[in-house]
Amino acid sequence: MSDRDALTDNPFFVLGLDPDCHPMEVERAGNTLAGLLELGVKRGASYTTPLGAFERTSEGIRQAAAELNDPNERLFYELWATVAPSDARIVRSAGPSTSWWSNG
Amino acid sequence: MTTTYIGFDLGTTNSAAASFDGDTVTVMRSSQGEALTPSIVRLSSSGGVLVGQRARRYLETDPANTHTGFKRLMGTGTSIAFPAAGVTRTPEELSAEVLRLLCDGVEQQCGFRPTRAIVTVPALFEIPQNAATVEAARLAGLEQVELLQEPVASALAAGWTATDARGSWLVYDMGGGTFDVSLLESRHGLLRVVGHDGDNFLGGRDIDRAIVDWVVERQAAAGGPTLDRSNPDHEPAFRCLSLAAEEAKIELSRSETAVIANAWPIDIDGESLEIELEFDRKTLDALTLPMVDRSMDVVTRLLHDSGLRAEQIGRVVLVGGPTLMPVLRKRLAERLGAPIDDSMDPMTMVARGAALYAATAGLAASGGDAPRRGSAPDSATGDTSVTNAGCHFFLHYPPVTADLTPHVVGRLVDSDVSTARPTEVRLVRTDGGTEGEYAPLDEEGAFVASVQLEPHKANTFRLEARDSRGDSLTCEPSRITLVHGVTIGDPPLSRTVGVALANGGVREYFARGTPLPSRRTFVHRTVSSVSPVAAVGSVSGSALRIPLVQGEYASADLCRLVGAIEVDAKDLSGPLPADSTVEVTLELDRGGHLSASAFVSALSQTFKSVAHLMVPAATPEVLRSHHAELAGRLVSLREEAFRTGRRDSLKGLSALQARLDTVARDVEAAKGGDVDAAQRSRRVLLEVDSSVGELEDEQRWPEIEDDAVWTAAWASSQVASHGSPAEQKLLEQAIRSLEAARQAKSVTRLKRQQAVVQRLGSAAAQRDDSTWEHYFHNAAAESNEASDLPRASKLVAEGHQALESRDHKRLRTVVRELWGLLPRASSEPRKTHGSSVR
């Protein structure tokens, strides 16, 4: 996996979660995002990363949830999500990826 | 009406069905009144079909027209003969008969015939076997079916009732014909399959077979007629004895002695044979232990691959009839030391888990009473009181979840013009519990609402909406039910799936462990030119062949061919030059059912048919020849080991020789018409082939090691000169892994890491123009062997011009095109499964 992939496909970014999230949040985010995607709701359609915005796919969501359920894989992505440039988190907090769960 | 979910365990020896209504899992009794239905089918001379217990009694009296064990032949294309009726049936058709009987039982007890269900398969079933299982379900009248791996089903069933389900579990599933072992991890009610392994040809029937061999030996020693597995005329006798052996084996699980007797005389070459032999548990244990140890080798391999030690296993779940044998339990306890969970019936656990999983997957048993997850308007609990709904919503929620505060996602579909538009919704418990907060609808009419579940039960909520004035509006659906319980993540793929390439390699599409379902697309290039005209009158109509393989090996010939996209030349709309791009998409559903398509961009044509989706045929001649070749290679390895004094490798060689000796008996039985033995020997020979290959590599260790060291040095120099800082970091990591593999003297790991290092080096080197000049000179030197000589000559001339004008961009294009025309891209057809792409 390239450095770029570790950021653009990082499951924390795909699911819009913080690296210290609880395993149950992974389950919840996976289910909820899959729902938003299936119902064609715009706020679930994309996610942001330090390298820009990317389209969410149901396959990407499942893959991300599976990766974060594996403790070894999760560790790897935690590292990348944590060392991502600080502006990435600013982008994330301002962008749609963290607001998929909030209404209105 | 309550939503009901159905799961089927389609077993080798016995099958079962279970239902789940959101609260309780119930094992269904068949229409014959049994929880377990023997997977046996009989066809009478009039064409009448008997299935299950009714067919069982004919196994001895009319074995030629009564068949069992057909699950082991699923996907092989085998025809099973019923001479009395003068017809043949495929294993899929026979499995469909069993499923049909199970559906009858469900219909009698639930009041409806299921049209959607989960059917379980062994974790190591190959893609053709999965496809055959789906076909069997379709033939049985199931409109929608999903497959689930048996150990996952067992774990779900065990986890559902477990009070303390944390930590690592081992599910040891020895069925009638297959053995699966899975390692699972449970955290916060979420089950995760860490890994699984198994043997598709190891099960209770092998124990029966060992007992029959013992009987035959005793019989011959006593001067009776000699039974010969390679003689097709003796096959009915062997089937009759297998039945007697199975009965004695089951009896010895409870008592110390039993008698093996055939209920009816067996006719051997015109001589009647009656058997009545004393059989005791000690003898049974001695005959069984090699099979148990074989299964323990698989368990050990799985633990090793998962980086776990036996003492780290918190719980062992036993599934399948043979696990009731005391010797098996004792051996497992000795080798693993973990507590064995025998709180559930090992015979029905798979069906129970399948029913639970049907709920997780939102696969309600009959149409109209529940949605697929997130795909339809919901009426899950069937509140029929609402007749003039004001607001109509699409909802998405997990029907079963381990999350106590899951989200329900909804979107307004339409709103009655006579009522106001809803601005917010909430979900209220119907049992009078706490009311949820209102969630606002956004500009798209969507909302995400959180609900609070009570643990380990079905939780029903009423959907309430109100408009901007605060007036309540009726909703459709009005109620939904979410069940709190153990859930399992997407099942992982058990074996790597890819495309065999013309150079003998494999392009990996889905690595082992990929969560299913999954879909991937890669671009390939054709290695030779094809013309629709040239193909006229051709013997083989296949102009373009893309073989699909399954296995963890880098060489295509060691992987199993599980299907192929084949394009007939006459179907091409125009000529297809060599080096044309073909975009191949493979898609696997949750149960490992494969579909594939190939898009040929030059012709704007898409081809979808997957041909030969079958386990390859195993003829006795091919098996014997493969066996002889392996025996010869083993002799060479042994001689080399003695010559070089490498006695440490002799142990491994002896083990392989023992496997070859064992498989020789199956090869002989294949000659006698035992298709099951033929398939088993095919698999074992492939495994031995791979192991012999590894030992041959080990003997070449100094050479392989030198090559790896050279590659590392070359890559370091290229990356240092032309690589990015990130590539340098990755190379350092890769070289560390390569060094670890070198220290461990692991050829497979070393080669894998060498490939990574090589790729990094090549990526860096290709940024250097001089590399492409070097590539061009090499390709030009071989251009007289190109598949399209005029095109190659033109490209070489263009390349020289590009060199002179220092046009390196053009030079790169020329080199890539030349590579596509050169024969080095293709290997022997046998080693490539006839692939025409690279």
Side-chain angles (χ1 to χ4, degrees):
Chain A
M1 165 166 286
S2 68
D3 293 6
R4 185 182 161 78
D5 292 343
L7 286 173
T8 59
D9 297 340
N10 191 303
F12 287 106
F13 297 150
V14 173
L15 298 179
L17 294 168
D18 285 328
D20 59 354
C21 68
H22 190 273
M24 201 52 77
E25 288 180 73
V26 174
E27 167 91 348
R28 192 176 307 142
N31 274 323
T32 311
L33 284 170
L36 289 171
L37 214 60
E38 291 220 23
L39 301 183
V41 181
K42 278 189 203 143
R43 63 179 133 140
S46 64
Y47 64 98
T48 49
T49 75
L51 300 177
F54 293 89
E55 188 187 343
R56 269 199 189 99
T57 61
S58 55
E59 190 171 282
I61 293 169
R62 278 198 310 273
Q63 180 80 33
E67 281 166 344
L68 294 189
N69 281 333
D70 180 334
N72 294 328
E73 295 243 12
R74 176 171 171 147
L75 205 62
F76 171 81
Y77 288 111
E78 271 176 17
L79 184 74
W80 278 98
T82 312
V83 298
S86 56
D87 59 338
R89 280 192 288 279
I90 296 165
V91 172
R92 284 178 60 217
S93 59
S97 65
T98 50
S99 60
W100 53 259
W101 49 267
S102 63
N103 291 286
Chain B
M1 189 175 93
T2 305
T3 306
T4 307
Y5 302 92
I6 301 292
F8 294 113
D9 169 11
L10 187 58
T12 307
T13 310
N14 292 298
S15 297
S19 72
F20 176 56
D21 62 5
D23 275 322
T24 314
V25 184
T26 309
V27 176
M28 300 273 102
R29 299 214 163 261
S30 76
S31 53
Q32 296 166 4
E34 308 278 345
L36 289 179
T37 294
S39 305
I40 304 172
V41 178
R42 169 185 155 78
L43 252 71
S44 67
S45 56
S46 62
V49 183
L50 286 181
V51 186
Q53 205 61 44
R54 285 185 188 149
R56 194 177 196 284
R57 55 177 178 258
Y58 290 97
L59 264 184
E60 288 200 44
T61 55
D62 186 18
N65 296 296
T66 312
H67 291 275
T68 183
F70 35 82
K71 176 178 168 180
R72 303 222 280 197
L73 301 174
M74 294 282 273
T76 62
T78 305
S79 289
I80 297 169
F82 291 85
V87 296
T88 60
R89 291 280 182 267
T90 62
E92 294 85 287
E93 288 170 327
L94 299 184
S95 293
E97 293 293 350
V98 176
L99 281 173
R100 214 170 276 137
L101 184 74
L102 294 174
C103 286
D104 290 345
V106 173
E107 189 173 6
Q108 283 172 10
Q109 285 166 84
C110 297
F112 63 87
R113 194 163 185 84
T115 54
R116 297 188 294 204
I118 295 287
V119 178
T120 58
V121 287
L124 288 186
F125 246 24
E126 291 174 359
I127 282 166
Q129 294 164 305
N130 287 339
T133 306
V134 171
E135 175 62 10
R138 192 190 65 76
L139 291 172
L142 289 165
E143 290 163 13
Q144 194 177 351
V145 65
E146 283 197 16
L147 305 181
L148 176 68
Q149 295 154 355
E150 287 165 7
V152 176
S154 311
L156 201 50
W160 193 261
T161 51
T163 46
D164 178 19
R166 290 178 69 86
S168 295
W169 305 15
L170 189 94
V171 180
Y172 179 102
D173 180 352
M174 176 84 83
T178 52
F179 170 64
D180 276 318
V181 57
S182 288
L183 200 53
L184 293 106
E185 185 191 64
S186 174
R187 284 192 306 165
H188 313 288
L190 294 171
L191 273 178
R192 183 175 75 89
V193 181
V194 177
H196 52 212
D197 207 331
D199 187 333
N200 268 353
F201 291 91
L202 175 62
R205 277 164 61 97
D206 296 284
I207 299 169
D208 301 345
R209 190 185 170 86
I211 298 170
V212 171
D213 286 346
W214 176 82
V215 171
V216 170
E217 273 175 31
R218 291 285 302 264
Q219 196 60 30
T226 305
L227 283 157
D228 179 6
R229 281 196 193 272
S230 65
N231 185 344
D233 293 338
H234 292 187
E235 203 238 341
F238 274 103
R239 287 173 54 178
C240 180
L241 285 179
S242 285
L243 196 65
E246 189 194 353
E247 282 170 358
K249 177 187 74 180
I250 292 168
E251 196 179 334
L252 286 181
S253 286
R254 298 183 302 271
S255 59
E256 289 295 323
T257 59
V259 173
I260 298 178
N262 52 316
W264 305 93
I266 303 171
D267 183 60
I268 299 296
D269 307 325
E271 198 179 330
S272 179
L273 175 66
E274 279 190 51
I275 290 172
E276 195 172 320
L277 278 175
E278 281 281 330
F279 189 51
D280 59 26
R281 192 185 278 180
K282 199 175 157 196
T283 310
L284 174 65
D285 290 357
L287 293 171
T288 304
L289 274 177
M291 262 72 83
V292 178
D293 286 343
R294 210 169 118 199
S295 74
M296 286 309 303
D297 289 344
V298 178
V299 173
T300 307
R301 186 169 70 204
L302 175 63
L303 290 175
H304 177 264
D305 289 351
S306 309
L308 276 179
R309 296 184 310 278
E311 56 269 27
Q312 290 174 283
I313 303 295
R315 192 171 179 214
V316 179
V317 178
L318 297 182
V319 184
T323 64
L324 293 167
M325 295 175 73
V327 64
L328 189 147
R329 290 180 170 231
K330 186 165 172 264
R331 193 65 148 200
L332 272 180
E334 282 167 8
R335 295 277 296 264
L336 291 174
I340 288 175
D341 180 351
D342 52 5
S343 59
M344 290 182 76
D345 174 12
M347 307 298 285
T348 57
M349 207 138 136
V350 172
R352 287 166 180 270
L356 287 166
Y357 190 77
T360 306
L363 197 64
S366 61
D369 58 347
R372 289 309 317 268
R373 192 163 33 187
S375 61
D378 191 286
S379 56
T381 51
D383 186 338
T384 54
S385 62
V386 177
T387 52
N388 53 349
C391 332
H392 193 178
F393 288 95
F394 273 108
L395 297 181
H396 178 110
Y397 56 89
V400 180
T401 178
D403 187 1
L404 282 166
T405 52
H407 288 158
V408 174
V409 183
R411 188 171 183 182
L412 185 67
V413 182
D414 51 39
S415 186
D416 190 330
V417 287
S418 62
T419 60
R421 181 184 165 84
T423 53
E424 50 189 9
V425 297
R426 69 174 177 179
L427 289 141
V428 180
R429 293 191 68 89
T430 55
D431 61 4
T434 51
E435 295 180 349
E437 285 180 17
Y438 275 102
L441 267 66
D442 66 12
E443 70 278 7
E444 291 184 282
F447 70 88
V448 177
S450 184
V451 290
Q452 185 79 42
L453 302 188
E454 285 190 13
H456 307 295
K457 62 177 284 191
N459 296 259
T460 301
F461 296 88
R462 189 173 61 249
L463 186 62
E464 291 183 355
R466 65 184 182 191
D467 61 19
S468 55
R469 291 172 306 186
D471 292 338
S472 294
L473 303 167
T474 52
C475 297
E476 171 66 26
S478 56
R479 292 174 185 214
I480 59 169
T481 299
L482 286 82
V483 179
H484 179 263
V486 174
T487 56
I488 193 147
D490 289 325
L493 179 66
S494 55
R495 282 203 178 103
T496 301
V497 173
V499 162
L501 304 176
N503 64 1
V506 176
R507 173 76 206 221
E508 182 183 292
Y509 272 63
F510 310 106
R512 180 180 180 158
T514 302
L516 298 180
S518 194
R519 184 177 194 271
R520 292 202 78 176
T521 300
F522 285 110
V523 175
H524 295 267
R525 287 178 178 272
T526 56
V527 291
S528 54
S529 302
V530 187
S531 157
V533 180
V536 174
S538 146
V539 177
S540 165
S542 176
L544 184 63
R545 180 178 161 85
I546 303 165
L548 312 175
V549 294
Q550 201 167 13
E552 272 60 56
Y553 306 109
S555 303
D557 62 324
L558 290 178
C559 296
R560 332 275 204 241
L561 177 71
V562 292
I565 303 172
E566 290 192 340
V567 180
D568 199 300
K570 68 175 167 38
D571 294 330
L572 293 172
S573 60
L576 192 63
D579 208 32
S580 298
T581 58
V582 181
E583 207 173 90
V584 176
T585 300
L586 300 188
E587 198 166 355
L588 280 165
D589 74 9
R590 204 182 295 269
H593 186 56
L594 177 76
S595 52
S597 67
F599 174 65
V600 182
S601 52
L603 306 175
S604 293
Q605 278 187 287
T606 300
F607 301 91
K608 284 191 173 170
S609 59
V610 177
H612 301 155
L613 201 65
M614 272 179 193
V615 176
T619 62
E621 295 72 29
V622 170
L623 294 172
R624 267 209 303 273
S625 148
H626 196 181
H627 186 273
E629 182 215 322
L630 288 173
R633 285 164 67 189
L634 272 180
V635 168
S636 303
L637 279 169
R638 203 175 298 118
E639 284 171 358
E640 185 67 12
F642 276 117
R643 195 180 63 75
T644 54
R646 290 196 58 194
R647 290 177 180 274
D648 51 331
S649 62
L650 285 173
K651 195 179 166 196
L653 287 169
S654 299
L656 285 177
Q657 186 63 54
R659 288 200 81 184
L660 264 193
D661 293 343
T662 308
V663 87
R665 288 198 287 277
D666 277 338
V667 174
E668 278 308 298
K671 196 176 134 201
D674 186 341
V675 278
D676 185 15
Q679 283 299 336
R680 187 170 48 222
S681 40
R682 178 186 72 84
R683 297 281 294 262
V684 175
L685 286 172
L686 270 177
E687 283 167 16
V688 173
D689 197 332
S690 162
S691 303
V692 167
E694 281 172 16
L695 287 173
E696 285 168 343
D697 278 347
E698 275 176 27
Q699 287 198 340
R700 290 174 46 234
W701 174 256
E703 192 188 321
I704 290 169
E705 192 181 22
D706 281 353
D707 193 41
V709 170
W710 186 91
T711 302
W714 169 81
S716 296
S717 130
Q718 294 300 328
V719 172
S721 305
H722 312 293
S724 66
E727 281 171 338
Q728 286 183 13
K729 213 160 78 181
L730 282 172
L731 182 69
E732 281 165 24
Q733 277 176 3
I735 288 179
R736 271 200 298 276
S737 302
L738 184 133
E739 191 51 34
R742 199 177 144 208
Q743 294 297 332
K745 288 202 165 186
S746 164
V747 175
T748 315
R749 275 173 55 201
L750 188 71
K751 282 189 168 178
R752 201 178 298 140
Q753 289 307 324
Q754 188 181 354
V756 174
V757 169
Q758 172 88 41
R759 268 206 304 277
L760 287 165
S762 295
Q766 287 178 8
R767 293 200 187 101
D768 182 11
D769 290 340
S770 67
T771 301
W772 290 93
E773 291 174 12
H774 175 71
Y775 287 162
F776 173 68
H777 289 306
N778 282 347
E782 293 173 24
S783 62
N784 57 337
E785 293 173 30
S787 57
D788 183 345
L789 279 175
R791 175 77 191 136
S793 300
K794 203 175 157 208
L795 284 169
V796 171
E798 276 181 39
H800 281 298
Q801 279 174 5
L803 268 178
E804 275 176 29
S805 60
R806 310 294 298 158
D807 183 353
H808 281 96
K809 194 177 167 194
R810 176 68 197 138
L811 188 68
R812 285 170 193 229
T813 311
V814 166
V815 170
R816 287 200 177 99
E817 283 193 46
L818 264 177
W819 279 346
L821 302 178
L822 291 180
R824 63 182 168 175
S826 55
S827 187
E828 289 175 53
R830 185 182 70 81
K831 296 203 168 213
T832 66
H833 298 299
S835 177
S836 42
V837 294
R838 64 184 169 88

